[in-house]
């Protein structure tokens, strides 16, 4: 049930650590340390956008389509600073995936993400080991503080 | 036509999409991700969206017309469709998805059918508008759709 890892064309990453997204001065916010991320989403559009956004901040990002593929990847030894997991995945759902990842001892920051925010889904995800739960879209307002936190 | 004039037209078109609520800030964020290494990122993502969403809309249509309505399946399809719609900044489409979800959660078949007509309509309108937008952007040349110019 594992899916191939997506290798979305990497975005060009401008240097500098200027805040926000303002490119008018040719600078874009970028992480200071080597950070890695895994996007787990069965939707191609969301996978591509989330991956591109994270990479634009200098985060080395991979993407998979299923919870099973994410678990396989981590079981094979891959480690990630941040894992973003969609709530509704085809087989093992988002919380189930988070639970398995935590059971393997992963210390990653786990962000649950969904199309329609639901309090019960939030509770389920947090109980499974996620650190936070948001409604799509993944935006710079969400990502930049997370990267800063991971950088420190 | 003068390239600067074309670029102004592109910017004006985008501003009108934002003002009229067809798109929201998320679309601007996508344009922020576009650069020299990936000059067609937004158009590629939007093309992927319309290809994927055509399939999802077909699945939803099928689920609505065949036999007793399978609301959990409908919910699943709409979940994915709304997720990608909101991720490209398709504001009106996203809003119709939210209305559909409410009827779906309530098990209201008539409400789902009615709202789905609106979902398809907004989807089709946006597709036409963005096709025109990208055509114009191509004529305007490189950086025809670069972000940071319009808020």
């Amino acid at each position: 049930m594992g899916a191939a890892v997506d290798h979305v064309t990497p975005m060009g990453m401008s240097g500098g650590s200027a805040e926000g997204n303002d490119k008018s001065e040719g600078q874009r916010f970028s992480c200071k340390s080597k950070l890695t991320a895994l996007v787990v989403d069965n939707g191609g559009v969301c996978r591509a956008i989330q991956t591109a956004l994270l990479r634009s901040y200098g985060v080395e990002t991979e993407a998979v389509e299923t919870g099973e593929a994410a678990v396989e990847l981590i079981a094979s030894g891959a480690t990630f600073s941040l894992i973003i997991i969609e709530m509704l995945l085809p087989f093992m759902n988002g919380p189930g995936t988070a639970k398995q990842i935590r059971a393997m001892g992963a210390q990653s920051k786990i962000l649950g993400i969904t199309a329609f925010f639901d309090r019960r889904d939030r509770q389920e995800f947090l109980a499974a080991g996620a650190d936070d739960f948001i409604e799509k879209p993944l935006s710079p307002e969400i990502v930049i503080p997370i990267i800063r936190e991971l950088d420190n | 036509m003068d390239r600067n004039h074309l670029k102004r037209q592109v910017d004006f078109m985008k501003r009108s999409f934002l003002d009229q609520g067809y798109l929201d800030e998320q679309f601007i964020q996508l344009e922020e991700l576009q650069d020299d290494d990936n000059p067609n990122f937004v158009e590629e993502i939007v093309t992927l969206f319309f290809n994927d969403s055509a399939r999802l809309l077909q699945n939803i249509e099928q689920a609505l017309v065949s036999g007793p309505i399978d609301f959990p399946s409908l919910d699943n399809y709409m979940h994915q469709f709304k997720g990608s719609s909101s991720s490209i900044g398709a504001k009106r489409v996203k809003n119709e998805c939210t209305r559909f979800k409410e009827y779906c959660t309530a098990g209201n078949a008539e409400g789902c059918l009615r709202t789905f007509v609106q979902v398809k309509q907004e989807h089709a309108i946006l597709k036409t508008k963005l096709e025109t937008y990208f055509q114009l952007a191509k004529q305007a040349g490189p950086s025809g759709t670069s972000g940071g110019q319009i808020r």
Side-chain angles (χ1 to χ4, degrees), chain A residues 11-12 21 23 86 114-115, chain B residues 29 32-33 35 37 79 82:
Chain A
M11 302 302 305
N21 284 338
K23 275 177 140 178
E86 156 63 45
T114 186
Chain B
Q29 298 301 338
E32 292 280 337
L33 296 177
D35 59 16
D37 291 337
H79 185 102
K82 196 230 176 189

Side-chain angles (χ1 to χ4, degrees), chain A residues 4 8-9 15 41 52 59 69 83 94 101 105 107 116 124 132-133 140 146:
Chain A
V8 174
T9 308
D41 199 307
V59 180
I83 305 175
I101 289 172
Q107 305 280 307
F116 291 103
E124 192 185 345
D132 208 346
F133 180 68
I146 290 175

Side-chain angles (χ1 to χ4, degrees), chain A residues 99-119:
Chain A
K99 197 171 180 183
Q100 283 217 17
I101 289 172
R102 285 293 186 226
M104 288 192 289
Q107 305 280 307
S108 321
K109 181 166 180 86
I110 296 179
L111 178 66
I113 195 167
T114 186
F116 291 103
F117 183 87
D118 181 281
R119 226 181 304 171

Side-chain angles (χ1 to χ4, degrees), chain B residues 21-51:
Chain B
Y22 290 106
L23 295 174
D24 61 27
E25 175 66 24
Q26 181 63 16
F27 187 82
I28 306 299
Q29 298 301 338
L30 292 191
E31 291 197 324
E32 292 280 337
L33 296 177
Q34 194 158 277
D35 59 16
D36 294 338
D37 291 337
N38 226 326
N40 302 311
F41 175 72
V42 183
E43 190 176 358
E44 287 167 6
I45 287 292
V46 167
T47 303
L48 178 62
F49 168 74
F50 283 112
N51 288 340

Side-chain angles (χ1 to χ4, degrees), chain B residues 1-145:
Chain B
M1 195 179 278
D2 171 59
R3 187 161 277 186
N4 283 334
H5 179 73
L6 280 170
K7 285 184 179 170
R8 280 196 298 275
Q9 275 198 302
V10 170
D11 283 347
F12 180 80
M13 194 180 281
K14 181 166 55 183
R15 193 197 311 269
S16 74
F17 292 165
L18 292 164
D19 289 346
Q20 291 167 45
Y22 290 106
L23 295 174
D24 61 27
E25 175 66 24
Q26 181 63 16
F27 187 82
I28 306 299
Q29 298 301 338
L30 292 191
E31 291 197 324
E32 292 280 337
L33 296 177
Q34 194 158 277
D35 59 16
D36 294 338
D37 291 337
N38 226 326
N40 302 311
F41 175 72
V42 183
E43 190 176 358
E44 287 167 6
I45 287 292
V46 167
T47 303
L48 178 62
F49 168 74
F50 283 112
N51 288 340
D52 277 3
S53 59
R55 177 183 48 85
L56 284 168
L57 289 177
Q58 215 170 6
N59 290 339
I60 293 171
E61 183 122 46
Q62 202 92 16
L64 281 171
V65 301
S66 48
I69 293 185
D70 180 354
F71 287 103
S73 288
L74 267 184
D75 189 78
N76 247 306
Y77 294 134
M78 185 49 74
H79 185 102
Q80 197 171 334
F81 181 64
K82 196 230 176 189
S84 51
S85 300
S86 64
S87 296
I88 69 153
K91 187 175 178 183
R92 286 197 188 188
V93 174
K94 178 183 78 170
N95 291 343
E96 293 302 332
C97 291
T98 302
R99 290 180 56 221
F100 182 96
K101 162 89 174 179
E102 287 165 7
Y103 285 117
C104 192
T105 304
N108 183 334
E110 197 195 308
C112 286
L113 283 161
R114 211 171 44 240
T115 321
F116 186 58
V117 170
Q118 299 303 317
V119 169
K120 282 195 298 183
Q121 199 170 323
E122 290 300 340
H123 179 264
I125 290 170
L126 184 64
K127 187 168 188 236
T128 304
K129 286 187 181 293
L130 287 178
E131 277 168 357
T132 307
Y133 174 75
F134 288 120
Q135 267 168 26
L136 191 63
K138 273 195 180 79
Q139 288 173 42
S143 311
T145 61

Side-chain angles (χ1 to χ4, degrees), chain A residues 74-86:
Chain A
I74 292 166
S76 73
T79 58
F80 300 97
S81 318
L82 170 66
I83 305 175
I84 300 177
I85 309 174
E86 156 63 45

